Amino acid sequence: MTRYALRRLAQSVAVLLGVSVLVFAIMQLVPGDPIRAALGQQADPETYQALRERAGLDDPVPVQFVTWIGNALTGDFGVSFRTGETVLSLILERVPATLSLAVAAIVVALLIAIPLGTLSALNPRKPVDWFASLSSQAGLSVPDFWLGIMLILVFAGTLGWLPSAGYVALTEDPVDWARHLILPAITAGVSSGAILTRFVRSSVLESLGQDHVRTARAKGMRARDVLTWHVLRNALVPLVTVGGVQLAYLLSGVVVVEYVFAWPGLGQLAFQAVESRDYPVLQGAVLLFAVIFLLVNLLVDLAYARLDPRITYRSAR
């Protein structure tokens, strides 16, 4: 298990290095002058040149890359062209909001997927199965912005039960934090729940046909125990993989949901950086997204190997 974890960690480091090269190269290929875009056309030449020198844009491209990587390893991602704040401080400001939304959305997705997918698999070609199939298809088809707007119109506009937008920190007011979180979490969680529902259904159906399940039934084990200890336990393995990917996607910021609900997350920060050509913020945000995906995938692989020890055995051969 330790050798497997070290091998996966080394692979993640190699992928992260490749992503950092790709991100830096793409930023260099984007047309336009980011300093001029940040200062505007009326900025005086002295200020313009001082900011270029501060950002290191007059250095050769290889020197810029080595400097950026070296600084990034120490947590220094540069300074925002737009606000003058450090990139790390801007990212850290958005982490609590993004983490809150991602965790709440994946909880909503699991609350939808596990019961609905399991019931669908236990009742194939019956009304419950048809309902689950139609629900998952609808969840994948409905755009996030439309669902968010409909929820706002119903629960914030018509009923007045929940706020329409905004974010309140958990430390300031836990109740108001939860009230602001409900609608964006449902909006972001529905599409993930639709994806997970299909995987739960297929995994449970596959587990139901295994020999050990038929043996447990033949021995007279109660249906509830068979489902809990033999079916769901084995169906959990692929769910961990797909659920981890969905969690990484949510942690990287759901831009549309964040804009609809004025949620100050990492996705909104990255989009604002694109609009204003704030390259240091965009580079830092994209690199953070890559780290999130690699870290979540690493944890998922380790959990997968823990649930199914055959994986570590195959990788060691």
Side-chain angles (χ1 to χ4, degrees):
M1 185 67 177
T2 303
R3 291 177 59 189
Y4 176 76
L6 291 175
R7 184 160 49 250
R8 289 291 294 112
L9 183 61
Q11 293 172 354
S12 299
V13 171
V15 171
L16 183 60
L17 180 60
V19 169
S20 64
V21 173
L22 183 62
V23 169
F24 186 84
I26 291 175
M27 292 298 102
Q28 296 296 320
L29 294 175
V30 174
D33 188 340
I35 305 298
R36 184 63 66 188
L39 295 178
Q41 298 298 324
Q42 305 302 321
D44 58 274
E46 292 78 10
T47 304
Y48 171 80
Q49 189 60 35
L51 191 53
R52 279 192 65 88
E53 293 178 358
R54 181 183 178 186
L57 296 179
D58 290 332
D59 297 332
V61 173
V63 175
Q64 291 184 41
F65 175 73
V66 172
T67 302
W68 178 64
I69 285 293
N71 292 336
L73 291 175
T74 63
D76 181 8
F77 297 98
V79 178
S80 170
F81 294 157
R82 184 167 56 93
T83 65
E85 300 179 64
T86 62
V87 174
L88 184 61
S89 65
L90 290 173
I91 289 176
L92 291 178
E93 287 177 2
R94 307 292 183 114
V95 168
T98 296
L99 189 60
S100 300
L101 180 57
V103 172
I106 201 68
V107 168
V108 170
L110 292 175
L111 290 176
I112 294 172
I114 294 177
L116 194 58
T118 303
L119 288 174
S120 176
L122 294 175
N123 301 276
R125 294 181 295 277
K126 292 183 179 180
V128 174
D129 189 22
W130 300 335
F131 174 76
S133 299
L134 290 175
S135 299
S136 62
Q137 187 63 41
L140 291 171
S141 303
V142 173
D144 289 342
F145 72 89
W146 183 87
L147 178 60
I149 292 172
M150 291 299 103
L151 291 175
I152 290 173
L153 289 175
V154 174
F155 293 100
T158 304
L159 300 175
W161 291 352
L162 298 168
S164 60
Y167 169 75
V168 175
L170 176 62
T171 54
E172 293 181 8
D173 188 341
V175 175
D176 210 19
W177 166 81
R179 294 181 69 248
H180 281 83
L181 183 60
I182 291 174
L183 294 185
I186 293 174
T187 304
V190 163
S191 58
S192 295
I195 295 173
L196 293 177
T197 297
R198 296 188 171 191
F199 279 92
V200 171
R201 181 184 184 277
S202 61
S203 298
V204 172
L205 277 175
E206 183 178 356
S207 296
L208 287 171
Q210 297 295 322
D211 291 337
H212 66 275
V213 175
R214 288 194 290 268
T215 301
R217 286 174 172 170
K219 288 182 177 180
M221 183 178 290
R222 292 186 305 173
R224 179 183 300 177
D225 293 336
V226 173
L227 179 64
T228 302
W229 297 106
H230 294 278
V231 176
L232 292 181
R233 188 175 182 180
N234 288 279
L236 179 65
V237 176
L239 179 62
V240 168
T241 303
V242 183
V245 173
Q246 291 300 310
L247 179 60
Y249 163 72
L250 293 168
L251 283 170
S252 299
V254 190
V255 179
V256 174
V257 176
E258 290 177 0
Y259 258 86
V260 169
F261 292 97
W263 195 265
L266 291 171
Q268 190 182 96
L269 177 66
F271 187 76
Q272 291 172 348
V274 171
E275 285 184 319
S276 60
R277 293 186 180 179
D278 197 346
Y279 293 169
V281 174
L282 184 58
Q283 285 177 325
V286 173
L287 191 62
L288 177 64
F289 296 158
V291 170
I292 289 172
F293 266 94
L294 290 173
L295 182 60
V296 171
N297 283 333
L298 177 62
L299 294 176
V300 165
D301 286 344
L302 295 178
Y304 202 99
R306 187 72 175 178
L307 292 169
D308 189 354
R310 293 173 297 176
I311 295 174
T312 55
Y313 173 73
R314 294 191 194 111
S315 63
R317 294 181 63 181

